[in-house]
Amino acid sequence: MTDISSLTREEAAERAALISVQRYDVHVELRGLFEGEVWAATSTVAFTCHEPGGATFVDCVGDVSSVTLNDRALDPATAERGRIPLPDLEAENVLVVSHTQPDTHSGAAILKTVDPQDKLVYVWSTFEPDMARFAFACFDQPDLKAPHGFVVDAHETWTVTSNSAPDRVEDLADGGRRWTFGDTPPLSTYVTVVNGGPFHEIRSRRGGYDLGLYCRQSLRQFLERDAEELFDLTERGLAFFGNQFGQPFPQERYDQVFVPNMGGAMENWGSVTWTDSVLYRSTPTFAQRSVRAQILLHEMAHMWFGDLVTMRWWSDLWLNEAFASWASNWAGVNATHFTDEWATFLAAGKMQGYRQDMSPATHPIRGDVPDVAQAMANFDAITYTKGASVLKQLMAFVGEEAFVGGLRSYFRDHAWGNTVLDDLISAVGEAAGRDLSAWTVAWLDRAGTDTLRLSDGTISSAAPDDQPPRPHRLDVGSYAVTDDGLTLVGTTPVETEGTLTAVALPEADLHLLNAGDQTFAAVRPNPDSVRVLLERAPDLPTAVDRALAVVTGFQMLSDGELGAEDLFACVLDLLRREKSPAVVEPFLNTALEIAQRWSAPDRIALHLEELAAVSATLADDPDLVLPALRTLAAAASTDDHLTLLDQAATSDVDLAWRVATRRAALGRYDADTVDSLLERDPDPDAGVRALAVRTARPDAGAKDEAWVELFEKRNIPGGPMLGAMVRAFWQPQQDDVLLPYADRFLDEIPALAGGGMLAVFGLMFGMFPPVGDEAFVDRANAMASDPGCDPTVRAALLIGIDTLARMERARAA
C-alpha cells in the first residue's frame, strides 16, 4: 500500500484548523460480501469551514464512483493516493461519497472470512490507526470527532453489530435486512465499527447495562462455557472504572464481538471486537483466563481513555495504550479474583518492554510521529508495557489518591474532546500539589532504561543517554537468611535523585532493589545479594518479588552478566516450590525459552529434559496441571514423558495436538494420529493444528508448505494459532534446516510493509528468525538502515537483530 498517502502531522493540524465535522451518516452495503468480495458504502459528511473558499481533502481508499459537494458533482477521477480534493468550501458543507472496497481479504480495515467447518461467512472491521478511510469516506484523524449514524444492509441470515444498539431492523424489498443504528456520541473515526454475520448471540443485564457477547456459530459451545465469567468481568470492570473515574460508562449497551482471524482486540466504542482465539478450544489455564481478563479490561478502559477523551495526534498514542494497560492491571488486582496480576505483568509482559527499550529500536514513550505510518510502529512494548510501568511509577511518586483524583478531573474537563500529554500531567500534578514538568521530560521524552546498582549503602543510577538519570520512587526490601528461608528485616522507601543516592539499610543478607516493582529500571543488587537472590528466590514472600528475581536474572543474562545455567537453575528451583498460578505459567515459558534459545547448543537437550522432569512433577498439582502438561509437551525428551502425556491427552485434544507436534519435531511424525485428531477436534481451525504438526518436522518440504500458508496465502489466523505455527516452524535443534529461511524472511518484507496492523505485527515480530548467519545480520541491518524502510518493519528488524546477538553471546558463553 505504498501508493496510499500517510497523513502527516502538519496536514492534520492544517485540516483541523480549517474544518469542524458535525456528523457522519454512513450507509454500508454488506450483501455483496455474502457471496462476493466487495464492501460498498455511501458516506454523507456534514462539516463547517472556518475559511469559506478554502480547500482540503477527504480520505477515501478504494474505487470511488461518485462525489458530491454541496449538491455539486466532483470528478471521482481526481481521487489520488486515497484522497479526494475538496475545492471551494462553503461555511456549511455537505459531502456525499460513494465507493467500493474490493480488498476484504488482507485484513486492512475489513476482513471477510469463511468458517472452514460450516462455510458460514463473517465480516468484521477494525480501523486503527487510519483504516476507516478504507471503509467509508471520512476525515480520518483523531481530533476531528463527530457523531456517526450507521445504516447497514445485510443478508437476511446475518446479525449486524455497530457502536450503538439498532433502532430498528427492517426487511428489504430486494432481499436482506436493513439495520439502522442510533447515533454515536462524538467519536474519532478509528473507534467506529461495523461487523456482520450469522453470529451466535448471548445477552445479559448486569449492573444496569445490557451486555452482549457474539461469536461464530461453530464456537457457540465455547462462548456458552465462558459466558458467565465474561459477563462477570464486564460487570465488575464497568462498575470499577465508572466509580474510580468519576463517571459511569454513559451507554446502556456494551457488546463484545469475537471474530475469526483477528490478531488482537479493538476498543470500538460500545462494541469491542476481539480475536475469537480467546474462546479457548480446550479448558483454559489460569494464565489464559488472566490474559483474557486483561484484554477485556484493557479495551474497556479505552472507553474512557481513548474514546471519551482522545489524543490530538498519534505522538500521544501512549495516552491511550499505556493508560489502558496500566488500568487493566490495576482493575484486575482491585476488582477481580486475578489479584496477583502485577506479578503476571512483570513476569510476562514487562520483560518484553525491557527487551525493546534496551535495544536499538527504543524510542521515547512520547516519540516523534511525523505521520501515521510512524504511529503504527509505536504500537509496541514501549508504548504498552513501559508506558504502563511508568504510569505505575507516577502513581507511586504522587500517591494513589492524588493520581486517581487527577484522572477524575481530566475526564471531567475533557469529555468528548481531544488532549495532549500536558493536559493529563497538569491534572495529576495539580491534584498532587507537585510540579511534574521535569518528571515528564525525564520519563516520557527520553528513550532507554536506567540501570540502578546498589553497593555499600548507595544506589548509583546511570542513564542510557548523556543526561542525568531519571528520578525513581522505589522500595528496597531487606531480608535475612534463616533456617526457615528469608525473613523480612525492613522495607526502605527511596526516591533517587541524581547519580548517587545514599540509603540507610538495615543489616541483611539480601537487599532487593525495586521490591514490589514500582519503577521501570534494570536493577542490579550488590554481588552478595545477587547470589542470595538466585539461591533463595523461592523464599521471597510475594509473587511480585519472585517474578522480580526472574526478570532481574533475565536482564543480567541478556546483558552478558549472568550465565544461562545459573538463571535456568534459579527458575527451576522456583517452579519446584511455586504455588501462585499467576506466575507459574510465565516461569515455565521463561524456562523453556532459556532452554531452547539461550543455552549452549550442547546443553539444550539436557535443559529440556530437566524442565520436562519439573513439569511432570508440577502436573500432580490440580491447580497447575494444565500449564505443566503443556510445557512437558514442548520439552518431552524420553519415552516416559511421552507416555505420561499420551495418558493425559486422552481427554484433552489441545494437549494431544501439542504431543503430536513434539513427536514430529523429534522425527516421529505419525499421519494416522493427525487424521484421528482432525476427526476428534471440534475446533473449526483444527486444520491449522494439523499443519503445525507437519511443520515441526526437521524437513525442508514441511517448512516450505508452512511458508506458503503463512506468507503467500496468509491462511493462518492471528493469535494463538499463529503462535503455534511460529513455534512449530522455528524448532530448536533444527538450525541446519532453518538457516535458509532467515533470508527468505527478509525477502517477504516488502509484501508485509504497510499492511493491516495486526497482521503485520504477527508475521513481522512472530516470524523473525531465531537463527541467522553474519550475512543475514548484515542484510537485515542494511534494510533497517534504509531511509525508506517502513517504521514498523524497521522496529521489528532492530529488535530481532539485537535479540539474536544477545542469544548468540549467551550460547557461546
Side-chain angles (χ1 to χ4, degrees):
M1 292 187 287
T2 55
D3 59 336
I4 298 172
S5 295
S6 180
L7 186 71
T8 69
R9 179 174 48 215
E10 289 73 20
E11 289 172 331
E14 290 172 3
R15 189 160 64 176
L18 181 66
I19 68 170
S20 297
V21 184
Q22 270 62 61
R23 64 173 291 112
Y24 290 96
D25 289 285
V26 183
H27 188 168
V28 179
E29 174 60 79
L30 294 183
R31 287 178 294 179
L33 285 162
F34 184 74
E35 293 183 342
E37 303 296 325
V38 177
W39 164 296
T42 296
S43 177
T44 301
V45 191
F47 65 100
T48 61
C49 177
H50 309 308
E51 299 177 11
T56 188
F57 59 90
V58 70
D59 303 299
C60 188
V61 178
D63 299 325
V64 180
S65 56
S66 69
V67 184
T68 301
L69 177 63
N70 301 326
D71 297 322
R72 183 176 80 250
L74 301 182
D75 185 359
T78 61
E80 186 178 10
R81 301 191 70 196
R83 297 176 174 182
I84 303 172
L86 303 178
D88 195 21
L89 297 175
E90 300 177 11
E92 303 283 340
N93 301 274
V94 177
L95 172 69
V96 182
V97 179
S98 295
H99 97 298
T100 55
Q101 179 53 257
D103 179 8
T104 56
H105 58 276
S106 71
I110 303 158
L111 187 68
K112 171 186 173 179
T113 64
V114 180
D115 189 291
Q117 187 177 85
D118 56 24
K119 308 307 178 185
L120 294 176
V121 175
Y122 298 87
V123 176
W124 55 265
S125 62
T126 184
F127 299 149
E128 191 172 25
D130 63 342
M131 297 297 189
R133 57 187 175 149
F134 286 70
F136 59 95
C138 58
F139 299 107
D140 207 357
Q141 61 188 74
D143 59 342
L144 288 176
K145 300 173 79 169
H148 291 67
F150 286 98
V151 176
V152 184
D153 296 344
H155 192 269
E156 59 268 18
T157 63
W158 283 16
T159 296
V160 178
T161 67
S162 188
N163 300 95
S164 56
D167 285 341
R168 60 188 181 276
V169 182
E170 308 162 288
D171 291 332
L172 294 171
D174 57 347
R177 292 189 293 175
R178 173 165 293 169
W179 296 70
T180 302
F181 293 89
D183 284 355
T184 71
L187 298 176
S188 301
T189 49
Y190 79 90
V191 294
T192 62
V193 67
V194 170
N195 303 310
F199 291 110
H200 177 57
E201 177 182 6
I202 308 175
R203 305 206 70 83
S204 180
R205 296 200 66 85
R206 304 284 180 105
Y209 291 99
D210 176 16
L211 307 181
L213 303 172
Y214 298 81
C215 73
R216 48 181 160 149
Q217 291 292 334
S218 60
L219 299 182
R220 62 186 300 167
Q221 63 175 304
F222 307 116
L223 180 61
E224 290 173 355
R225 178 198 65 198
D226 296 340
E228 178 54 37
E229 180 169 77
L230 291 167
F231 280 135
D232 179 65
L233 288 167
T234 304
E235 179 183 11
R236 289 173 181 269
L238 288 170
F240 179 79
F241 288 139
N243 178 60
Q244 293 293 332
F245 298 155
Q247 47 186 303
F249 181 67
Q251 181 171 288
E252 181 182 14
R253 185 176 175 111
Y254 189 88
D255 289 338
Q256 297 174 85
V257 186
F258 300 91
V259 296
N261 199 13
M262 186 180 192
M266 181 60 206
E267 65 267 20
N268 313 303
W269 172 262
S271 184
V272 175
T273 309
W274 290 55
T275 170
D276 66 15
S277 62
V278 298
L279 300 177
Y280 303 110
R281 314 313 198 249
S282 59
T283 303
T285 65
F286 181 92
Q288 287 177 314
R289 291 171 50 234
S290 172
V291 166
R292 187 168 62 191
Q294 287 309 299
I295 297 171
L296 186 152
L297 294 168
H298 177 108
E299 306 306 329
M300 183 184 290
H302 276 306
M303 300 302 125
W304 286 265
F305 221 111
D307 296 6
L308 176 70
V309 182
T310 312
M311 79 240 136
R312 183 177 300 166
W313 179 245
W314 298 103
S315 54
D316 283 328
L317 170 69
W318 86 281
L319 284 176
N320 285 7
E321 300 304 342
F323 180 88
S325 295
W326 166 80
S328 62
N329 288 282
W330 181 53
V333 169
N334 290 285
T336 78
H337 57 275
F338 297 103
T339 54
D340 272 341
E341 192 53 47
W342 283 121
T344 305
F345 172 77
L346 173 58
K350 196 171 180 179
M351 187 103 74
Q352 301 308 315
Y354 283 129
R355 286 188 186 187
Q356 179 169 352
D357 201 42
M358 299 170 77
S359 81
T362 185
H363 60 80
I365 293 174
R366 179 172 64 169
D368 182 39
V369 182
D371 56 30
V372 182
Q374 180 61 51
M376 186 172 164
N378 287 357
F379 285 86
D380 59 16
I382 290 176
T383 292
Y384 284 78
T385 307
K386 182 181 180 181
S389 302
V390 168
L391 285 173
K392 186 183 181 187
Q393 165 69 182
L394 178 58
M395 188 166 72
F397 194 66
V398 302
E400 183 168 352
E401 182 177 351
F403 187 71
V404 174
L407 293 178
R408 289 175 178 170
S409 297
Y410 176 79
F411 291 129
R412 181 194 64 230
D413 295 343
H414 300 287
W416 307 118
N418 294 88
T419 59
V420 295
L421 173 63
D422 288 345
D423 295 316
L424 172 65
I425 297 301
S426 296
V428 174
E430 183 176 342
R434 298 186 71 159
D435 180 359
L436 297 175
S437 55
W439 185 96
T440 302
V441 171
W443 276 104
L444 304 177
D445 293 335
R446 291 169 54 195
T449 303
D450 287 357
T451 300
L452 307 181
R453 298 181 184 273
L454 176 62
S455 180
D456 298 327
T458 299
I459 296 176
S460 62
S461 305
D465 50 27
D466 295 329
Q467 301 183 54
R470 302 171 176 92
H472 293 266
R473 166 64 184 89
L474 70 152
D475 291 338
V476 180
S478 299
Y479 293 89
V481 175
T482 67
D483 292 341
D484 297 326
L486 291 176
T487 299
L488 181 66
V489 176
T491 299
T492 306
V494 180
E495 197 168 300
T496 68
E497 185 175 353
T499 57
L500 297 175
T501 302
V503 288
L505 299 174
E507 186 79 17
D509 299 298
L510 166 64
H511 296 295
L512 184 63
L513 262 180
N514 197 26
D517 192 42
Q518 297 293 342
T519 195
F520 187 93
V523 295
R524 300 291 188 269
N526 60 61
D528 289 341
S529 288
V530 169
R531 177 183 53 78
V532 176
L533 182 64
L534 293 174
E535 294 176 355
R536 297 283 186 154
D539 295 324
L540 289 166
T542 68
V544 168
D545 285 345
R546 295 192 295 276
L548 181 63
V550 174
V551 171
T552 299
F554 207 102
Q555 288 178 329
M556 295 176 70
L557 170 65
S558 183
D559 286 348
E561 300 175 22
L562 185 69
E565 294 287 327
D566 291 332
L567 181 57
F568 187 70
C570 171
V571 178
L572 289 192
D573 284 345
L574 273 163
L575 285 167
R576 292 184 181 100
R577 294 172 52 189
E578 186 59 61
K579 296 301 180 184
S580 171
V583 292
V584 163
E585 198 158 347
F587 288 170
L588 285 167
N589 292 337
T590 298
L592 184 62
E593 181 182 352
I594 296 170
Q596 292 181 331
R597 302 299 179 199
W598 296 80
S599 297
D602 61 353
R603 302 290 289 175
I604 292 175
L606 176 61
H607 282 175
L608 288 174
E609 186 171 354
E610 291 174 337
L611 176 58
V614 170
S615 301
T617 301
L618 278 177
D620 292 332
D621 187 330
D623 293 331
L624 307 176
V625 60
L626 289 176
L629 288 174
R630 291 177 185 182
T631 304
L632 176 58
S637 305
T638 67
D639 288 339
D640 287 345
H641 295 156
L642 293 169
T643 299
L644 188 158
L645 287 164
D646 287 338
Q647 294 169 350
T650 57
S651 58
D652 186 342
V653 69
D654 173 77
L655 182 62
W657 281 118
R658 292 169 186 265
V659 177
T661 303
R662 179 60 177 161
R663 277 198 167 94
L666 294 172
R668 305 185 196 179
Y669 174 75
D670 186 339
D672 291 339
T673 295
V674 171
D675 291 340
S676 175
L677 286 172
L678 284 170
E679 293 179 5
R680 174 182 162 193
D681 193 346
D683 185 355
D685 297 320
V688 179
R689 302 299 297 269
L691 176 62
V693 175
R694 298 195 297 274
T695 301
R697 293 175 293 172
D699 175 76
K703 307 299 182 185
D704 286 340
E705 179 190 12
W707 200 266
V708 169
E709 298 297 321
L710 282 161
F711 287 101
E712 296 180 22
K713 296 183 179 179
R714 302 279 184 93
N715 276 343
I716 308 304
M721 285 294 181
L722 178 58
M725 280 295 297
V726 169
R727 291 189 297 273
F729 191 96
W730 298 112
Q731 285 286 329
Q733 300 177 291
Q734 293 184 2
D735 289 7
D736 290 345
V737 175
L738 292 171
L739 188 59
Y741 294 92
D743 265 333
R744 286 186 64 176
F745 172 79
L746 298 181
D747 294 338
E748 299 290 348
I749 284 178
L752 293 176
M757 182 176 72
L758 297 175
V760 172
F761 280 16
L763 288 173
M764 273 302 307
F765 288 92
M767 280 296 290
F768 192 93
V771 298
D773 56 19
E774 185 176 349
F776 164 79
V777 172
D778 290 344
R779 184 183 172 200
N781 272 316
M783 294 179 74
S785 301
D786 186 335
C789 184
D790 178 90
T792 305
V793 170
R794 179 181 295 111
L797 289 171
L798 291 174
I799 294 168
I801 296 165
D802 182 67
T803 300
L804 180 60
R806 292 173 186 267
M807 289 191 299
E808 289 181 343
R809 179 176 60 195
R811 293 168 189 157

